[in-house]
């Protein structure tokens, strides 16, 4: 169809935002190589910028781009073939393969891309970097900023991850049904790691980074659309319910606000409703796991009209079920805090002291912060001061450090 030059250029930009990751995923399947597919993607869009203003925007832009990218890749292989005979064979193979069904499984291609980027054979930090780069289209500089790393470090992780995929011949496919539970866990872990870095940054001056929360939720929605599994529902629900409270976690000066002190009218009720609905669906499936249970706990908090009306007994029960699925000292710590709210600070302190005596959470600032708060509530002020000082030595995030210092100062000399 015909189209003016300016509107055709705008159409290319619109199609890039909406379709580039889908086109890339299909090109990776067709060309069998990340770098070759990325080069083909850029060549295809460059061709679109030249041809669409002249010839008009095609009826199926995605199909046009995939076909153009594939042909550009074959041409590039032929040009390089005089230096490497194997590339001529590869070009002939790609040209000879039937590609009428290039777009038939485009959504499967996106799922393949996610599972490949999150393959357990890759180091955890490489999985995160590769997923944000290839699935979310974040630049190396954006990823580096988000994780307080040098762009060169992130670029190296991505290059090594691609080399590992190529050298280890990691298959570009969705796992078979019997493999899916183990492989899906790796994907969910990567998405939640991205979200947690946005929701509760591991270091730095800011408590939250909204852009990473947004990207993780976008990944969660995409995964649920492609794979409607109970734990995918659970993870998306968990992120939505946490994100609903994000803006209330800090005051106007950027200082940390505790859950019980947050302005609940500032919580996003639309996200809470969506998250709670997903929790109910996940739990009703009877195939739920840790993410759905964590989401159920956050839902109890989110649906309570006030901190005083929180159903702590239900929260403790949910933590008991969560621990039955697998031991976790951090979950035990959270359960201890819930027990303290249900049965009193002495009961919670007994559990926290037992945890610290085991040594697993000795270097975790929140375990000492929780202990300090319980000692404060028991009016054991000298011990509370000591516990706050230990927590302050371990904390890395500046707003949390200021919060703990404030709590210590409130106890006086």
């Amino acid at each position: 169809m015909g189209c003016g030059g300016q509107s055709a250029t705008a159409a290319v930009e619109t199609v890039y935002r909406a379709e580039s990751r889908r086109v890339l995923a299909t090109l990776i399947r067709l060309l069998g190589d990340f770098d070759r597919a990325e080069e083909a993607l850029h060549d295809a869009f460059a061709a679109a910028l030249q041809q669409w203003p002249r010839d008009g925007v095609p009826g199926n832009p995605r199909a046009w781009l995939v076909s153009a990218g594939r042909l550009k890749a074959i041409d590039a292989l032929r040009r390089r073939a005089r230096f490497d005979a194997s590339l001529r064979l590869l070009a002939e193979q790609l040209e000879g393969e039937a590609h009428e069904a290039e777009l038939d499984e485009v959504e499967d291609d996106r799922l393949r891309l996610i599972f490949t980027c999150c393959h357990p054979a890759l180091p955890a930090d490489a999985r995160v970097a590769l997923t944000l780069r290839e699935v979310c289209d974040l630049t190396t500089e954006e990823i580096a900023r988000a994780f307080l790393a040098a762009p060169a470090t992130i670029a190296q992780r991505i290059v090594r991850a691609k080399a590992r995929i190529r050298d280890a011949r990691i298959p570009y496919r969705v796992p078979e049904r019997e493999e899916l539970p183990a492989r899906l866990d790796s994907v969910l872990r990567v998405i939640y790691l991205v979200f947690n870095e946005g929701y509760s940054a591991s270091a730095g001056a800011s408590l939250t980074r909204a852009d990473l929360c947004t990207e993780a939720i976008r990944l969660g929605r995409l995964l649920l659309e492609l794979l409607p599994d109970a734990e995918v529902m659970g993870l998306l629900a968990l992120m939505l319910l946490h994100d609903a409270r994000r803006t209330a976690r800090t005051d106007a000066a950027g200082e940390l606000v505790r859950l019980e002190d947050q302005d609940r009218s500032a919580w996003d009720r639309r996200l809470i409703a969506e998250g709670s609905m997903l929790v109910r669906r996940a739990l009703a499936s009877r195939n739920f796991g840790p993410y759905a249970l964590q989401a159920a706990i956050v839902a109890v908090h989110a649906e309570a009209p006030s901190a005083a009306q929180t159903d702590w007994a239900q929260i403790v029960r949910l933590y008991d079920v969560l621990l039955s699925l697998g031991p976790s000292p951090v979950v035990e710590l959270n359960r201890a805090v819930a027990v303290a709210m249900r049965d009193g600070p002495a009961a919670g302190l007994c559990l926290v002291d037992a945890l610290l005596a085991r040594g697993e959470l000795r270097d975790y600032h929140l375990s000492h912060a929780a202990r300090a708060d319980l000692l404060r509530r028991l009016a054991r002020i000298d011990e509370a001061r000591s516990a706050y000082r230990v927590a302050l030595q371990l904390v890395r995030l500046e707003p949390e450090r200021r919060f703990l210092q404030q709590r210590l100062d409130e106890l006086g000399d």
Side-chain angles (χ1 to χ4, degrees), residues 165-211:
I165 290 168
R166 183 181 62 247
D167 297 344
R169 299 180 185 273
I170 291 174
Y172 182 69
R173 63 177 178 83
V174 179
E176 300 296 334
R177 183 167 294 277
E178 59 271 16
E179 300 175 276
L180 196 56
R183 289 288 308 280
L184 180 60
D185 185 58
S186 177
V187 173
L188 297 177
R189 196 176 298 125
V190 165
I191 295 174
Y192 198 36
L193 194 62
V194 172
F195 180 82
N196 270 333
E197 192 60 32
Y199 185 74
S200 186
S202 57
S206 298
L207 186 69
T208 63
R209 297 182 188 132
D211 54 342

Side-chain angles (χ1 to χ4, degrees), residues 246-300:
R246 178 164 43 84
T247 56
R249 292 180 69 225
T250 54
D251 62 18
E255 300 299 332
L256 180 65
V257 180
R258 294 184 306 168
L259 176 62
E260 57 263 40
D261 297 327
Q262 288 173 16
D263 176 6
R264 295 184 179 226
S265 68
W267 292 359
D268 190 325
R269 290 294 155 188
R270 181 183 55 82
L271 292 182
I272 290 171
E274 184 184 359
S276 298
M277 178 271 294
L278 286 167
V279 168
R280 289 191 292 272
R281 282 178 57 195
L283 296 181
S285 75
R286 297 295 179 186
N287 293 318
F288 58 84
Y291 290 110
L293 285 166
Q294 289 176 72
I297 291 166
V298 181
V300 175

Side-chain angles (χ1 to χ4, degrees), residues 256 258 261 372-373 376 381 384-385 388-389 392 402-413:
L256 180 65
R258 294 184 306 168
D261 297 327
D373 187 60
R376 178 189 62 80
I381 303 303
R385 284 196 200 99
Y388 275 125
R389 290 188 184 109
L392 278 163
R402 291 197 301 269
F403 173 80
L404 291 171
Q405 185 64 55
Q406 180 186 348
R407 302 297 282 181
L408 176 59
D409 293 344
E410 286 170 359
L411 295 181
D413 295 330

Side-chain angles (χ1 to χ4, degrees), residues 323-336:
L323 283 168
S324 74
L325 296 181
S328 163
V330 172
V331 172
E332 286 186 65
L333 176 65
N334 292 335
R335 180 186 180 276

